[in-house]
Amino acid sequence: MKKRQILRRVVQALSIFFFFYLLKKATVYPVSTKLPLSFFFKIDGLLAFSVAIITKTMSLFILPGFVMILLIMTFGNFFCTWICPSGGIIDYLGFLFFRKRWKISSPVPGKLRNASSIILMFVLISAVVSSISGIQFFGFVFDPFVIMHQAMIGTILWLSVFLIIVLASIFYPRLWCNCFCPLGKFYTIAGTRFKIKKLFVMLKNRRKTVS
Amino acid sequence: MNRKEFLISLAGTILTAASPGLLRYKKKKTNFLRPPGSLEENVFSKSCIRCGECIRACPAKCLKQVKIEESFNDWLTPEIIPRQKGCILCQNCGIVCPTGAIRKVNSEKIKIGTARIFNDMCLVWTNQKECLVCLEFCPAGAIYTDDKGRPIVNPELCVGCGLCEQNCPVTSQDAAIRVSTKGEKRVHLKDGKYY
């Protein structure tokens, strides 16, 4: 295993540990005001973006999400492969238990691969519609952290969704992340199409052509 | 019949079968007792991302998720059902909320709702029995007795925690003292800031 991959696995393990540590700490009374208990929700750029659209305000609560978007625009999408505890759990379960035994060799169908774009569109449109009308924002149902937290509360529906997400990766590695996760898609777009370096190069080229 | 036609007809059949239920659907419940420090209802239900952090953090376990059959729009948002559990006003929910839909506020500003005594059900009012459990459990000292020893709620002092309703010894599903959202204080947006 390459050094970089080992480092990635270590960071992922730490992230999973931190996720469950915060999950546990949030239930200990009195709740700590020093620990960032909702850390993973705070760095959820898509939620921050959606809430900013819905409430039409920029509060300190959602600022870390925007910082995360800026970081991803600078360094590329490091979130999904290094930090995301949901992806980390899927990776580790696959690495420890499932390996390659049941993996389907054929690639994921093209239509399925575009599902995350459609889901991301739904989340953003839902936020815009919610901000201008009385209709509620239902984009949260696709957020990986909402799914994980709701599953941890013990709601059967969400627990089943989370199990399906994890078990689906037995057949296709990271099926959820590659095909359905709107947060992953959002960060991928921010980290590729809106990458600051790329934008600078584009601006430079435009100036050159103008001059 | 090819596969496409089959799927379209299947979807049509399911929609037709479900339509009576969908048409019958209406918002059953509107006034939810929200946790202390919640934003105004229209902003709250939109900015609550249904993460369930508040529900997990609540040490009294008084926060419950709104069921889909109660209100589709408010599905999974937190509400207090005082008959099951009253709020201990710890404001853990305000500390853990990631989007600020619930905020930590000064304890003097807390007002979830107001309790009201239903005289026809109260043991003291109807049967002149010695009870006053509501008075003993009230943390705000909002319940006092009249010259005949019957409990009365002072709506200005009541914070709507629901501990009186939770502990009311009346054995029916509804307590003799019940908390409603009347007089609730919410965090509201003014000049770009929340108050």
Side-chain angles (χ1 to χ4, degrees), chain A residues 17-29:
Chain A
F17 172 78
F18 191 52
F19 176 80
F20 283 105
Y21 175 74
L22 292 180
L23 213 65
K24 176 75 191 140
K25 275 285 173 189
T27 58
V28 178
Y29 182 78

Side-chain angles (χ1 to χ4, degrees), chain A residues 22-24 26-33 37-38 41-42 47 51 54-55 57 59 61-62 130-138 140-141 146 149-150 152-153 155 157-158, chain B residues 39 42-53 55-59 61 65 72-76 88 90 92 94-104 189 192 194:
Chain A
L22 292 180
L23 213 65
K24 176 75 191 140
T27 58
V28 178
Y29 182 78
V31 156
S32 167
T33 46
L37 291 167
S38 46
F41 283 109
K42 297 260 185 197
L47 274 184
V51 171
I54 296 162
T55 55
T57 47
S59 69
F61 286 90
I62 53 172
S130 180
S131 72
I132 53 173
S133 70
I135 298 165
Q136 299 302 314
F137 172 63
F138 283 105
F140 64 85
V141 291
V146 171
H149 272 249
Q150 289 287 354
M152 297 307 156
I153 291 175
T155 325
L157 170 74
W158 296 97
Chain B
L39 297 180
N42 60 338
V43 191
F44 174 81
S45 51
K46 284 177 182 176
S47 52
C48 171
I49 51 162
R50 279 76 162 172
C51 62
E53 277 283 87
I55 291 157
R56 291 184 63 258
C58 180
K61 302 287 166 220
Q65 286 182 320
F72 182 67
N73 271 350
D74 298 286
W75 178 46
L76 297 176
I88 58 167
C90 66
N92 274 5
I95 297 169
V96 297
C97 181
T99 58
I102 310 169
R103 289 164 191 240
K104 196 172 188 295
L189 186 70
Y194 283 97

Side-chain angles (χ1 to χ4, degrees), chain A residues 102-175:
Chain A
W102 299 302
K103 285 212 170 95
I104 296 169
S105 52
S106 60
V108 180
K111 279 178 187 171
L112 208 63
R113 252 182 287 156
N114 293 334
S116 60
S117 306
I118 296 163
I119 293 170
L120 178 63
M121 285 281 280
F122 168 77
V123 173
L124 293 175
I125 290 169
S126 174
V128 172
V129 168
S130 180
S131 72
I132 53 173
S133 70
I135 298 165
Q136 299 302 314
F137 172 63
F138 283 105
F140 64 85
V141 291
F142 295 108
D143 190 85
F145 299 129
V146 171
I147 295 170
M148 277 177 87
H149 272 249
Q150 289 287 354
M152 297 307 156
I153 291 175
T155 325
I156 296 167
L157 170 74
W158 296 97
L159 204 61
S160 336
V161 171
F162 184 61
L163 282 176
I164 290 168
I165 288 171
V166 171
L167 293 175
S169 60
I170 299 173
F171 307 107
Y172 287 109
R174 280 210 179 204
L175 183 73

Side-chain angles (χ1 to χ4, degrees), chain B residues 32-36 38 41 44 66 74 77-80 112 186:
Chain B
F32 296 100
L33 276 181
R34 298 297 190 189
S38 299
E41 187 61 30
F44 174 81
V66 172
D74 298 286
T77 55
E79 68 159 332
I80 298 170
I112 304 165
R186 296 284 189 98

